[in-house]
Structure formats: structure tokens, C-alpha cells
Amino acid sequence: MADTPLLHGEFGSYPARGPRFALTLTPEALHVQRLRPKPEAWPQGGLVPLAEVSGCRTLRSCSPNDSAAYLCVYTYPRSRRGGRRRAARTFRADRAPDYKENHAEAQRWATVLTCLLRGVPLPGDLEITPELLPRPPRLLLLVNPFGGRGLAWQWCKNHVLPMISEAGLSFNLIQTERQNHARELVQGLRLSEWDGIVTLSGDGLLYEVVNGLLARPDWEEAVKIPVGVLPCGSGNALAGAVNQHGGFEPAIGLDLLLNCSLLMCRGGGSPLDLLSVTLASGARCFSILSVAWGFVSDVDIQSERFRALGPARFTLGTVLRLASLHIYPGRLSYLPASSSASNGAPSLSQALPRAASELALAPTPASAPLRETHSPLHRSVSDLPLARSAHSPTELQLDPSPSPPHSPESCLLSPNAPLTPGPSSDPAPANSLAYSSLMERVLQGSEPPASCSPLIPSDLEASPGLLASLATPCSPDSPASEDPQGLVVPNLSSSPPDPGEAPPSSKSQASPKPGSLHGPKDDLLPPLGSPLPPGWVTLEGDFVLILAQSPSHLCADLVAVPNARFGDGLVHLCWVRGGVSRASLLRLFLAMERGSHFGLGCPQLGYATARAFRLEPLTHHGILTVDGEQVEYGPLQAQIHPGLGTLLTGPEA
């Protein structure tokens, strides 16, 4: 039952002279009620839904006279204005006279809470031990620093990395430097060492990752690795669908990023349908979102010149295209979905697989020329010890603080007590300083009075050497530099790019080479140009737009197919025929924000579910896009491959 109490106990607060609380943990929420100095009948902030919790950890005081243990819970509640804000709540376990018993109680709460967050079943006898927790996943984060008007790198540092560290996840972060860089990276990775690949950008970076996985000779195994997206781009269609799948209210911008980050920290995945698209030249690519022709593709590509506006570029592009509305003659043929395929949407709560061995990157073959600027770990940040190779000259090894980053126990410090790698007398390398600075920002709770002792990982001894190291600030002579946001960043061979710079390459017509992808066979499609088999439906005439959609969202705030679900095995075809007025078309897109456009009764709007389709433009000029990327113009055909991949979506609402 969702309201069944799992744990109940009395805790103090940090600092110790604060109020005392009664905590009750259920499968859905943490209930907090103040007991002293005055009980609260209607406590404010007393209900903490687990959907708003990123993680927790146990702590201890540096003071040898303090026998209490501490439980810190990291939450992201909504403010009165609707946006999320970070809040760290620290509770003091002090009912027992000695530290060992208090630590056992705090650890029991941390273990049960982490099990609930990650979907780990609890034993019936409720004998809780830390051994219940699986090893946290190791994530490869790929960041497009030019995404979101250049805000992607700042959002990553200030929001994503702290939340991932709060959740106890391990990661390696790489900044992409050019178009198709992510595709090249995943083609050369030893994927057995990773539990997931997550992109921080718009939808285009994940498109590169998926097509890179399917270009590998071992594509059947490679495509099984879970992939995820944290929205830092303009469109963010897939993130909008993930946000809806997780039960959150529609969101854009930073709120959408925080929602998707919370879901990713919870773990779990959903089947990802991939659309195999064959172009006129015989080139083949795989779509995770949509194939568009007409109005939608025109707006997407022609609004590129307004990219500096962020998501507003689509609004401006829509207005401009409405002013010069075009009609496109063409032919759409599709294989209707069977009744069994269109009934319901199967769901899957799939945990991340375990890594087979220590984290490593596949070494560059000896025969391959070495180009330092294209090293797989160029511009990388990590909290994992990586195997150094002569082929990775720019690799960073970020040694975590004495408590492993995936341990439920880490550090929470007073602002006056900076975090250092530990009591070692050796100078800390720049990479350790970078990780330490990040952990200090991540794990810092509400600022205690200067007289309070700082808290440290509960598995460390509060030795004089450690206390001295906590009081020692980072050396100004260290080869690390502190950015204006306070995060110590190692001096890499190529520093993070200026957000004001133009990206090295923008969207352009770039189709994959024929035979460059492996992947499953399209058994429902005859050769392009051959007659279609019986059972296909053909529509011919003038169209304003044709859209073949897999997930529900066209962008973060446009729900093109409200009934689409992850893993439903369908390609959702939408079209608008010629003859629609500009006002009617505008009403359709305004209603699409709520997903209510099919209820307007527009006679030119059509919809069908299919397993395969063929699109044949009958004009010589136009724009075709696959997942927002322009491809060669001409006939194309596609087939849906249900559940071919796995998408990190978190638990379903």
C-alpha cells in the first residue's frame, strides 16, 4: 500500500539546538512532523514526495564528543512560483548513547529510502542492511556545450552534476566538439563498461548516439545499452515525452531539465521504438522521433538562423511560414497497424544492467592514426578512476573523495570548511580538486552557525589530520582554476567553449552513406520504387504537412500525438491536406500545446497508426527532416522496430 508506514522514528536537527521531528517513511513519501519546541498540527513542508527526492546519505560530526549520526535528504520541491528549488534537509539520529547505534539507525533509513528511490524490493522481514543496494550505474554523459543558447554547460555544472552526485551515481562527462562527434565516440567505446549513455543537449545529440550504436558491427548488443536525454536544447521533444511519462506537469527550460534529471536518478527504463528510414539514395538511418515534410520541416530548418532565440525560434519560424503558406503535392502510403498492435501500450520497468568489469575505454587500434584533438576523452570530467592509455593523452582521472561517489555516505561541510580529497599529505591534483569542489557544492546543506562542527562521511575517522585538511583551502598555485560559479575546473588542453561562440557546424543536409549502418532488416518494405504489396493504404493530393511520429511530443510544449506511448510499436501518421486556412492551421498548433487539436474537428487533419510507410514528394524542391536533421530530398520509406532500444525514463506515473 502506498500509505503503509515502513519506518518511523524521532530525530533531532542540525544544528543540535534546533527542533525535533517525527519521521515516517512510506513507499510514496517522507512525512516530517515537528515535535518540539511546539508540535505542528499542519506542518509546512511536512510531506516530501519521493518523486521530488534525488538521494540521501549518512554523515557524522568532526567533533569527537558528538555521538550522533546524521541523515541528509536532498529534495527538489516546487516553489510558490512553480519552479523547482534544491533543499537539503539534515536530521540527527541521537536516541542512543553511542555513535555506533545511532549510525546503524541513520544507515537503516538511508538504505530503505535509497531502495524505494531505485525500485529495489524490500525484504518482508524488514531486516535492512546496506547489502540490499545494487551497485549504482555508471553513466557516460555527452554534453553539447552550444545547446540551449550556450547554457547547456552552465546547466550541467550547476544542476545536473550536483543532482547526479546526490543520487550516488558514477559518471564520466565528455563535451562534444563538432557534428557527429557523439556518433564517433560511441562507435569506439567498450560499451560493456557502461550502464547508460545520457546526452545533455537537444534531440540531435541522442540521434547521433543511436545511429552510432547501430553502425557498430556488434549492433545487436550495442543497441541494448540504455540511453537517456537531459534537455538542454531548443526542441526537447523526447524529454517532453519523458516528463509526461513520469507524471510531471508540462514544463520547459530549466524546470524540464530538473524533472528529467530526477527521473533519471530514480533509474528504470522503457522500450524505445526505432524507425528505420531508407532514403532515395539507399542510405539508411534510424529515427527516435519523427520524419517531417512540409510545414513542420520548413519551420525547423528555416528557423535555424534564429537559433540564438532558443525555443522562441520555432514560434517566430511558424509565424513567418504561416505568412507564406506552401502546398506540397505528394503521395503517402502506409501499412495500417493491426488491431493487436494498437491496443494499449505495454510498459516496462527495466533496471540498468550491471557493468561487467572496471570502467575502461576501448583502446585505439594500433593501425589507426592518433589525433589528439579527437581523443574520446577530450574535454572530459569524471568521478571514476579511468584506465590511462597512451592513446588518451587528454584523459582526466578524478579520484573521488575518501568516500566513493556511489556510497550512501559522503560529506557535508560548513561553508567555512572547504572539502579536500582527504588527509593525505601529497598535493591534490587538479582533477581531485575539481571533484572535491563539485562535491562540496553538491553536499552542502543549510549553512550552520560558525560554532558548529562540520559533518564528514560517516565511515571516516575524525582524525586530527582530517580536521586539518578540512581547514586547509585549496592552494592558489594549483593547476586548477575556479570559475565564477565556484566550481573548480581542471585546465584542459582545450577549455570549455565560450557560450557566445557559434557552433562549429550547424544543421546541414548530411545523409548517412549507404551500408554505413547495420541494424535489423526491414522485412515489411519492398525496395524503394517497387510496387507496394497488398494491404497498404495510399493517399495522394496536396498536403500542407505530413508527420510520422514515434513519441507523443513534437517539442517540449507541443503534444502531437497524445495517445502515443513508449514501446507501443506504432508509427503515428499525421497530415494536413491543402485547403486549410491560415487561421485553422494556427488553431491546430495552439491546441497542440494541450494535445487537444484532434478535437477541433478540422476536416483537413488526418491521423492513422501504421507499422511502415512510404512518402513520395511530387515536387522537385522541398525540405525533409529526420529527427530535425535535414536529409536528401526525394522519396523515402520507413518501418518501425518495436522496443529495439531502451530509454531511461524513470518510473512510470
Side-chain angles (χ1 to χ4, degrees), residues 617-629:
L618 301 181
T619 61
H620 297 293
H621 302 285
I623 297 176
L624 279 168
T625 60
V626 176
D627 292 358
E629 303 293 330

Side-chain angles (χ1 to χ4, degrees), residues 55-62 69-72 74 86 90 99 103 107 110 162 164-169 383 399-413 419-421 435-445 454-460 466 470:
C56 64
R57 41 188 90 228
T58 59
L59 313 164
R60 68 170 298 171
S61 173
C62 287
Y70 296 85
L71 172 69
C72 188
Y74 305 100
R86 179 183 182 273
T90 305
Y99 170 77
H103 172 255
Q107 183 63 60
I164 288 177
S165 298
E166 292 162 3
L169 307 183
D383 71 339
D399 297 327
S401 56
S403 179
H406 55 268
S407 169
E409 300 157 349
S410 195
C411 11
L412 175 68
L413 296 177
L419 176 63
T420 64
Y435 180 73
S436 299
S437 179
L438 170 64
M439 292 303 291
E440 179 180 1
R441 294 175 61 207
V442 166
L443 304 175
Q444 193 170 17
L455 303 182
I456 62 172
S458 54
D459 58 348
L460 295 181
L466 177 59
L470 292 175

Side-chain angles (χ1 to χ4, degrees), residues 94-116:
D94 55 3
R95 302 280 287 177
D98 63 276
Y99 170 77
K100 185 175 180 180
E101 292 184 38
N102 289 326
H103 172 255
E105 178 67 5
Q107 183 63 60
R108 188 165 70 102
W109 278 76
T111 300
V112 174
L113 181 54
T114 305
C115 286
L116 293 175

